[in-house]
Amino acid sequence: MNGLANASSLFFLSAGLSLIFGVTRIVNMAHGSLYMLGAYIAYTCATSLGGVLGFWGGVLATAAALALLGALIEIALLRRIYHAAELFQLLATFALVLLLSDVVAALWGVEDLLGPRAPGLRGSVEILGRQFPEYDLFLLVVGPVVLVGLHLLLTRTRWGTLVRAATQDRDMVAALGVDQAKLFTAVFALGAALAGLGGALETPRQPANLGMDLSALGDAFVVVVVGGMGSIPGAYVAALLIAEIKAICIGLGTQTIAGIPFNFSKLTLVAEFIVMAVVLIARPYGLLGRAQGMPRHAAAIQDPIEPAGRRARLLALAVLAALLCVPLLAKASPYTLVLGIDVLIAVLFAASLHFIAGPGGMHSFGHAAYFGLGCYGAGLLLKLAGFPMAGAIAAAPLVAALGAAIFGWFAVRLSGVYLAMLTLAFAQIVWAIVFQWEALTGGSNGVLGIWPTAPFNSAWVYYLLVLALTLAGVLAMRRILFSPFGYAMRAGRDSPLRAEATGIAVLKVHWIAFIIAGTVCGLAGALFAFAKGGISPETIHVSRSIDGLVMVLLGGMHELAGPLVGAPVFTLLQDSVMRQTPYWRGVLGVVILALVLVFPMGIAGTIAGWAKRVAR
Amino acid sequence: MMLEADKLCAWYGAAQILFDVSFDVGRSEVVALMGRNGAGKSTTLKAIMGLVGRRAGGVRFDGTELLRLETFQIARLGLGWVPEDRRIFTDLSVRENLDVGRRPANGGPAWSEERVFELFPNLAEMRERPGGRMSGGEQQMLTVARTLMGNPRMVLFDEPSEGVAPLVVERMAEAIVEMKQLGLSVLLSEQNLHFAALVSDRVYILEKGHISWSGAMRELEASAQVQRQFLGV
Amino acid sequence: MKPLLEVRGLQKSFGGVRAVDRVSFALGEGEFLALIGPNGAGKSTCFNMVNGQLGADAGEVLLGGEAILGLAPRQIWRKGVGRTFQVAAIWGSLTVRENVQLALLSHAGEVFRFWRPAAERHRERALELLADVGMQAQAARPARELAYGDVKRVELAVALANEPRLLLMDEPTAGMAPRERNEIISLTKRLVRERGISVLFTEHSMDVVFAHADRIIVLARGQLIAEGDARAIQDDARVQEVYFGTGRSFRRPSA
């Protein structure tokens, strides 16, 4: 029963996401943020006005406000990026996540805010011998009501017919005289209103907080992947399924199976993952979804990669020599070494992401998962399994590789936005497991006291170790790209059809590439654990995945040197500019928007472009 | 003149498909664009509708310059487009497909659901059938019906005789003649000389994105030499 | 002549519409066989069931007596079937030579090698194949920069890399100028004759079909309606009706 009530909010959220995607083909990463904003606005209405008007009026006012905001976002931002590459669309809407997060923090503060209970529905009723809150009953009813309402809107009105037609063929609709721009704005507004409604209705049940945006986004992704992108009934069925499974896990509590106590309530996220996995194996486009006829990869074809010329080699050697000299500064400015280690780890992290995102064409939005697995793998092997430092650093990438093997098996079967959503959802699951499994991972506190042992306990020696391993990792991936396997990776990205018709098992190639990237990323995570002296859930946070993508884009997705340029620039920028302001997220959001709208080639890409023009 | 193209150029991506194409279509005139596969016939129609990447030159419809307008605005001026690949909304029923096409009458004849069903009686028998479950010929009729629901003053008709049964081809010919009688202008892209000869008044022949011959339909019918040279008949 | 490829009772429906309806035909060793039909006749559906891209509802496809229906395109390729696409597909971010090299690497079972650079592997053989299709001079160019006709040539070299017994070509001349059409089809014919390869191709351009095909099979509304050489097909009344002569059956609508 509780699950049914939870399903309603989840459904509103996911239905909006699904609807927007169906028509605009954009996955709105900021959908969770609209949900969060809905919760905060409704809270303010309910507490400041109070009473029936404050609460119920507030819920409606919230939906209206979000519709307006949605329309504004569509007109100001989305219209500029309908024709951009998918990755840019995802990043641009993610920039909104960052901006809105800081807006909420600035307006409402960082405290959790629990709204008042709903006027008129404060009591509870007894059903089958159990007390059941009236408000939950109300939610239980309102979900199907909205489902039916949406269904009627889409099937019984001309507007709905136009939306469904536009979902299928936008150009044809325009050629019949329909103003798509208005239609898109309206759809986005409706989707945003639904998200806001979902958030507003949750305020009496759980406090509005700053983490809602991403947790809601992760949930919504799981729901639309399970239900089928673009299917409203699918979203409802999936929301019901997911919410029920969570409720059952929590309801079971601790049970003893075969003599071993087993805490099911901690298993909710794993259960969610298993449901998603089963659905994706059986029906790759979700329970009620249909194949969207999307190319597996639609990005612009890039230039062939070439072995470094003499000049590039000399430049690389010079940079290496400079990096080797950094320890000489250790005495004068110890912070330089710390920053140097950060930069090197960022380079390794970004390079591993670039490996699959660039030549592999798989834009992972959850690369932090493998970083986190490496980080926690190293920390926990050291602390709990008594591994020596070298053993922990050697074994941690294998932990990440195992995670990448499991998640990658699913991910390579999908493409484009589906792949992005799935990888992000996987990363959220890893994050939640780490966060919830306190006994093992230390929960939100993490585990401290993970320091390098001699001789690496002095910063400059550890710096050299990181430098050596980063260099080894980057060069190894580079070498793989020039091997037969590297050709096959790029071929699988350029034209999977041709590759399959030439005897190349594209899924297997991309799966192995995914595992290689996960392994290297795990190494970066392990090095990070020892550099910071501890591990915490922050290492797996979505923002790290996004940072990685920004580094890669900043450097240039289509350049082998992209991550090597982007990661240091980003890390130094973060260190200098973003430390100055409490609103660094907002600043990062603006940086991302600038990248997407003005500077899509990245630094290395732009320089390479100049070099080519000069050469001609 | 209803439609006047003046040195129209069009590109897909970096590739230029049309080069300075000029032609005109008069009121209630049926004009055929002929030529081989890949000559640029479909592209010309799409360029008029604003459905290609980039355009240059000029196209005026009843005095309004189209190059600066968006596709939906062009359609609202009273230009209907029947695409070669039909582009039926397969998830929508026949009636819903017609509903998407519906627009208020625009000085021209006013079409209603019932009137298009009179023109295509088969469609009347499958009003609730989803577009995806119709045969190619039925889809072709639905596409024409959907376009008429927009009450166009001129119809751009892409390859009406391509890949459909002879019976459907005849229906298409009848529909074009009916449009002409109602005062509509029609610009036709066609490879089949027999079909074009049956319905059109004048012809422009396209070759590799250029107009290489133009004249009255009767002239083309009479000249085996022109037919051989440009159409490979 | 012993057939290399046998198609028996092939059938496929989409949402109640029979796209391919009990189609049977055979292709002999070294034969150049055209599969034609008006738009929507079921050519592509039929073709895609033979090449493994599409499953069939019923029927059999035998290659040298071995059942291949239901195998993945990858596996069919391993049985010695090369393929070209309607919209020619090559790997744009590799160079022309690398495209052919990768096909050769795949043929040699060397795709899953991670360390030794691929640039020198099968280089000579790749250049030979490129010379065969007249593309040796452009070997070092990025494939995405090629003109469309040249893309078709490279695709042909890629398709020949596994020394196929059978070549499946979907509209080999689509999107090409008339002169290029004849060039590519003559080139293809010379190369497959030299190697004893059989070819099944679909084609829109009648000039190409009548000038080059050894034999022609005609599909209309999912069914095989005629089979024979160019003359027999041109004279076939049913083919005339569904294919060429639509206009002749017209009466001017009385209005």
Side-chain angles (χ1 to χ4, degrees):
Chain A
M1 287 293 267
N2 203 328
L4 289 174
N6 286 334
S8 290
S9 281
L10 202 50
F11 164 62
F12 295 158
L13 181 67
S14 321
L17 187 68
S18 205
L19 200 63
I20 291 172
F21 174 78
V23 177
T24 64
R25 297 285 136 165
I26 284 184
V27 172
N28 177 26
M29 300 285 270
H31 214 64
S33 310
L34 299 174
Y35 176 82
M36 172 173 79
L37 207 55
Y40 276 98
I41 294 175
Y43 168 86
T44 299
C45 290
T47 48
S48 60
L49 285 172
V52 176
L53 181 70
F55 185 87
W56 295 109
V59 167
L60 295 178
T62 303
L66 264 297
L68 201 66
L69 180 66
L72 265 174
I73 291 174
E74 200 274 342
I75 292 167
L77 176 64
L78 266 61
R79 278 187 192 181
R80 293 168 197 278
I81 57 172
Y82 283 133
H83 295 289
E86 218 161 58
L87 176 63
F88 287 141
Q89 298 176 338
L90 293 169
L91 275 173
T93 51
F94 195 85
L96 285 179
V97 174
L98 299 170
L99 280 170
L100 288 175
S101 170
D102 270 358
V103 167
V104 170
L107 292 178
W108 281 280
V110 294
E111 297 297 316
D112 288 6
L113 304 172
L114 183 62
R117 288 198 284 164
L121 295 172
R122 293 210 169 107
S124 58
V125 283
E126 201 181 285
I127 297 170
L128 298 173
R130 291 179 75 170
Q131 288 298 315
F132 203 76
E134 282 173 6
Y135 187 69
D136 283 11
L137 268 183
F138 162 75
L139 285 184
L140 192 153
V141 174
V142 88
V145 167
V146 171
L147 171 66
V148 170
L150 275 178
H151 182 75
L152 291 178
L153 179 68
L154 288 175
T155 56
R156 293 283 188 277
T157 66
R158 177 148 192 271
W159 187 82
T161 307
L162 293 183
V163 168
R164 285 185 296 137
T167 303
Q168 206 184 330
D169 188 341
R170 284 188 264 174
D171 279 349
M172 191 63 233
V173 169
L176 290 167
V178 177
D179 185 353
Q180 294 182 68
K182 269 191 203 152
L183 197 65
F184 282 23
T185 308
V187 166
F188 202 89
L190 175 63
L194 281 169
L197 187 66
L201 288 174
E202 278 296 290
T203 44
R205 303 177 81 226
Q206 52 175 325
N209 64 75
L210 284 172
M212 276 172 100
D213 49 356
L214 291 175
S215 65
L217 186 67
D219 283 346
F221 279 1
V222 173
V223 168
V224 294
V225 167
V226 169
M229 201 75 191
S231 164
I232 305 289
Y236 186 69
V237 172
L240 219 55
L241 189 68
I242 300 287
E244 265 320 302
I245 283 169
K246 279 189 171 181
I248 288 169
C249 279
I250 291 167
L252 283 173
T254 306
Q255 302 268 332
T256 308
I257 296 170
I260 304 161
F262 217 63
N263 189 347
F264 276 94
S265 58
K266 303 260 178 195
L267 270 183
T268 52
L269 284 149
V270 181
E272 203 172 296
F273 168 66
I274 291 170
V275 170
M276 185 159 73
V278 169
V279 168
L280 281 176
I281 294 169
R283 291 188 57 98
Y285 291 99
L287 289 174
L288 300 181
R290 261 183 288 168
Q292 299 280 358
M294 227 184 290
R296 190 177 143 73
H297 183 74
I301 300 285
Q302 56 200 67
D303 279 330
I305 55 175
E306 283 165 22
R310 235 191 70 179
R311 230 182 273 170
R313 275 164 199 261
L314 283 177
L315 182 67
L317 283 176
V319 171
L320 183 62
L323 288 172
L324 281 168
C325 293
V326 168
L328 299 176
L329 302 169
K331 281 264 157 48
S333 120
Y335 184 66
T336 312
L337 268 187
V338 175
L339 193 59
I341 290 173
D342 279 354
V343 166
L344 288 172
I345 291 173
V347 165
L348 193 57
F349 173 63
S352 71
L353 175 60
H354 176 263
F355 185 72
I356 48 171
M362 295 175 281
H363 300 147
S364 166
F365 270 68
H367 212 54
Y370 317 106
F371 191 80
L373 285 172
C375 195
Y376 272 79
L380 298 178
L381 287 171
L382 184 88
K383 281 284 169 184
L384 303 178
F387 271 51
M389 174 190 162
I393 289 184
L398 300 179
V399 176
L402 185 67
I406 297 170
F407 296 158
W409 194 86
F410 296 102
V412 297
R413 283 167 168 68
L414 300 176
S415 62
V417 294
Y418 286 87
L419 183 119
M421 290 194 303
L422 192 71
T423 47
L424 190 141
F426 281 146
Q428 280 301 87
I429 286 165
V430 173
W431 179 82
I433 290 172
V434 164
F435 205 78
Q436 289 183 359
W437 200 350
E438 276 177 39
L440 183 71
T441 63
S444 58
N445 297 322
V447 178
L448 294 174
I450 301 167
W451 293 109
T453 46
F456 300 107
N457 51 358
S458 62
W460 71 271
V461 186
Y462 190 68
Y463 170 86
L464 288 179
L465 175 72
V466 173
L467 178 59
L469 289 176
T470 299
L471 198 65
V474 168
L475 288 180
M477 286 191 295
R478 196 181 155 82
R479 198 170 164 107
I480 290 172
L481 287 179
F482 287 100
S483 75
F485 181 80
Y487 282 31
M489 255 175 92
R490 285 178 277 149
R493 172 201 60 192
D494 289 353
S495 171
L497 210 60
R498 173 86 255 168
E500 283 284 334
T502 314
I504 296 166
V506 174
L507 291 185
K508 189 172 158 197
V509 167
H510 280 168
W511 184 48
I512 292 175
F514 207 93
I515 296 172
I516 293 171
T519 312
V520 175
C521 185
L523 177 64
L527 293 173
F528 186 78
F530 284 99
K532 299 293 162 196
I535 50 184
S536 75
E538 263 169 56
T539 52
I540 316 176
H541 198 256
V542 187
S543 57
R544 182 171 302 274
S545 300
I546 304 299
D547 287 355
L549 284 170
V550 175
M551 290 176 201
V552 170
L553 284 177
L554 194 61
M557 176 65 88
H558 294 343
E559 295 298 323
L560 274 188
L564 312 186
V565 178
V569 171
F570 181 83
T571 312
L572 296 175
L573 210 67
Q574 197 171 34
D575 186 70
S576 52
V577 181
M578 295 181 192
R579 288 243 163 104
Q580 311 284 321
T581 158
Y583 299 117
W584 61 270
R585 278 197 201 88
V587 174
L588 179 59
V590 173
V591 168
I592 294 177
L593 284 179
L595 255 182
V596 168
L597 296 175
V598 193
F599 203 43
M601 298 291 290
I603 299 171
T606 308
I607 293 173
W610 287 338
K612 252 185 212 163
R613 243 169 285 155
V614 170
R616 271 174 205 171
Chain B
M1 279 299 136
M2 204 62 189
L3 186 87
E4 264 175 298
D6 181 25
K7 295 192 176 159
L8 178 63
C9 301
W11 288 259
Y12 281 126
Q16 185 167 3
I17 310 292
L18 297 184
F19 303 83
D20 296 333
V21 170
S22 301
F23 58 89
D24 52 64
V25 182
R27 240 171 254 279
S28 57
E29 190 183 24
V30 180
V31 171
L33 284 173
M34 300 197 65
R36 298 188 170 105
N37 259 346
K41 304 186 298 290
S42 295
T43 306
T44 306
L45 303 192
K46 284 186 187 167
I48 295 169
M49 290 306 291
L51 288 164
V52 295
R54 189 153 72 87
R55 303 180 288 174
V59 188
R60 293 157 69 82
F61 175 65
D62 205 10
T64 309
E65 176 55 56
L66 301 183
L67 247 54
R68 279 184 300 274
L69 299 181
E70 286 189 59
T71 300
F72 79 93
Q73 294 167 319
I74 294 170
R76 284 183 184 184
L77 289 175
L79 262 167
W81 174 57
V82 180
E84 176 185 20
D85 44 358
R86 304 179 194 122
R87 295 171 79 163
I88 285 300
F89 304 112
T90 49
D91 293 348
L92 272 54
S93 70
V94 167
R95 293 180 65 165
E96 285 173 332
N97 266 286
L98 295 177
D99 200 26
V100 176
R102 202 182 71 215
R103 297 219 61 83
N106 198 349
W111 289 86
S112 65
E113 223 175 65
E114 288 318 310
R115 264 194 77 193
V116 299
F117 285 146
E118 272 169 39
L119 186 63
F120 300 113
N122 325 29
L123 294 182
E125 292 157 22
M126 49 180 85
R127 291 170 200 230
E128 302 305 328
R129 184 178 297 182
R133 300 236 316 268
M134 300 166 76
S135 73
E138 288 158 0
Q139 289 192 349
Q140 176 81 354
M141 292 187 234
L142 179 55
T143 311
V144 178
R146 184 179 66 183
T147 303
L148 291 177
M149 287 295 287
N151 293 311
R153 289 182 291 157
M154 173 164 182
V155 174
L156 309 177
F157 209 149
D158 203 355
E159 303 274 1
S161 78
E162 171 91 357
V164 288
L167 201 69
V168 181
V169 176
E170 267 176 53
R171 267 281 119 73
M172 292 301 124
E174 282 170 13
I176 291 170
V177 171
E178 167 112 16
M179 288 178 204
K180 182 179 162 69
Q181 282 179 344
L182 289 167
L184 270 66
S185 309
V186 178
L187 178 61
L188 194 66
S189 131
E190 185 54 67
Q191 284 203 71
N192 186 322
L193 180 59
H194 301 294
F195 184 88
L198 196 61
V199 295
S200 358
D201 306 312
R202 281 191 302 127
V203 186
Y204 291 87
I205 295 181
L206 272 171
E207 253 190 343
K208 292 180 189 162
H210 301 267
I211 299 256
S212 57
W213 188 88
S214 67
M217 192 69 230
R218 254 173 283 128
E219 259 178 84
L220 179 63
E221 276 187 293
S223 167
Q225 192 253 331
V226 173
Q227 291 182 18
R228 208 170 28 249
Q229 186 180 349
F230 297 111
L231 301 176
V233 174
Chain C
M1 194 166 48
K2 187 175 153 281
L4 173 67
L5 180 78
E6 270 183 278
V7 172
R8 292 185 193 152
L10 207 53
Q11 203 163 315
K12 179 82 185 177
S13 301
F14 294 110
V17 179
R18 282 243 169 111
V20 171
D21 192 2
R22 286 162 296 168
V23 167
S24 303
F25 61 89
L27 169 68
E29 299 272 2
E31 201 178 9
F32 209 69
L33 177 66
L35 172 63
I36 66 169
N39 270 2
K43 287 188 311 272
S44 296
T45 309
C46 194
F47 198 75
N48 284 335
M49 286 190 283
V50 175
N51 66 34
Q53 202 139 307
L54 201 64
D57 295 344
E60 271 186 306
V61 177
L62 304 175
L63 180 73
E66 190 185 352
I68 59 165
L69 189 62
L71 295 184
R74 197 170 70 235
Q75 296 163 314
I76 290 179
W77 183 83
R78 295 241 171 259
K79 306 263 179 217
V81 179
R83 186 167 158 205
T84 66
F85 292 86
Q86 183 170 355
V87 177
I90 54 173
W91 302 301
S93 73
L94 301 181
T95 64
V96 169
R97 193 193 71 234
E98 287 167 348
N99 266 275
V100 183
Q101 273 179 302
L102 179 56
L104 291 165
L105 284 162
S106 177
H107 183 48
E110 295 172 348
V111 163
F112 291 97
R113 295 194 177 178
F114 298 85
W115 204 244
R116 295 259 296 280
E120 296 306 318
R121 298 289 299 167
H122 309 294
R123 190 189 181 105
E124 293 312 312
R125 179 79 188 111
L127 292 175
E128 275 171 39
L129 278 166
L130 286 172
D132 284 344
V133 298
M135 287 295 293
Q136 197 176 18
Q138 307 195 52
R141 286 184 69 189
R144 66 157 183 186
E145 290 178 359
L146 296 183
Y148 190 65
D150 291 342
V151 171
K152 289 260 181 189
R153 287 164 184 270
V154 175
E155 194 186 33
L156 188 59
V158 167
L160 293 174
N162 67 331
E163 291 158 24
R165 292 187 277 170
L166 170 65
L167 196 55
L168 300 173
M169 306 181 83
D170 195 2
E171 307 249 351
T173 71
M176 302 178 88
R179 211 187 58 216
E180 280 181 317
R181 286 184 184 182
N182 270 318
E183 277 172 16
I184 192 91
I185 217 79
S186 304
L187 172 70
T188 306
K189 221 171 158 185
R190 180 166 61 73
L191 293 174
V192 300
R193 286 274 142 89
E194 283 168 15
R195 292 163 165 78
I197 300 171
S198 313
V199 175
L200 172 66
F201 71 111
T202 64
E203 183 56 65
H204 245 109
S205 162
M206 287 305 118
D207 315 352
V208 168
V209 172
F210 291 138
H212 295 281
D214 296 334
R215 202 156 55 89
I216 300 164
I217 48 183
V218 186
L219 288 187
R221 269 166 273 168
Q223 292 178 328
L224 196 148
I225 58 161
E227 187 170 357
D229 63 12
R231 178 137 302 262
I233 294 297
Q234 275 168 314
D235 293 343
D236 188 297
R238 286 192 67 192
V239 175
Q240 295 259 340
E241 183 197 328
V242 302
Y243 212 105
F244 309 106
T246 34
R248 278 176 217 148
S249 67
F250 287 162
R251 57 194 162 75
R252 199 170 276 268
S254 50

